[in-house]
Amino acid sequence: MAIFGKSGGPAPPGREDPESRSSFIGPKIRFQGELLGDEDVLVEGRLEGRVKISKAFRVGHHGVVLAEVAAGTVVIAGRVVGNVSADERVELLPTGILEGNIQAPRIVIGEGARFTGRIDMSGGTAPPSPSS
């Protein structure tokens, strides 16, 4: 039996496939600034500033994001205040709250979710301006 997962078993922590990693901002973390990256991100804490993620950006049930968000996909179960744009899809889950404009080719708003803003499904990732 191999120690480091060479026999087909699970790899030990820290030895997972680097392509399957995601970053986590925990419930007791407060982040201010610009978040840039090329991996999935889950926010359960508070994030303020600007977000540009090429993959999935998820806001968990306890997450609060006060930022302009641009990502490959965006899933909101918590609260976001700011414009959101996605290359693929924005999904507002039933527990989600979004106060801002959405720009994405596909948008899903779950029953019970709260949304205030405008929707643009014409393509591109630049969020619509509030004056449009």
Side-chain angles (χ1 to χ4, degrees), residues 119-130:
I119 294 176
D120 179 354
M121 297 176 70
S122 63
T125 58
S129 66

Side-chain angles (χ1 to χ4, degrees), residues 42-62:
L42 170 61
V43 176
E44 283 289 356
R46 183 178 180 96
L47 187 151
E48 299 176 24
R50 189 170 81 94
V51 175
K52 187 165 172 89
I53 300 295
S54 64
K55 296 194 178 181
F57 181 75
R58 296 180 300 150
V59 180
H61 287 54
H62 302 290

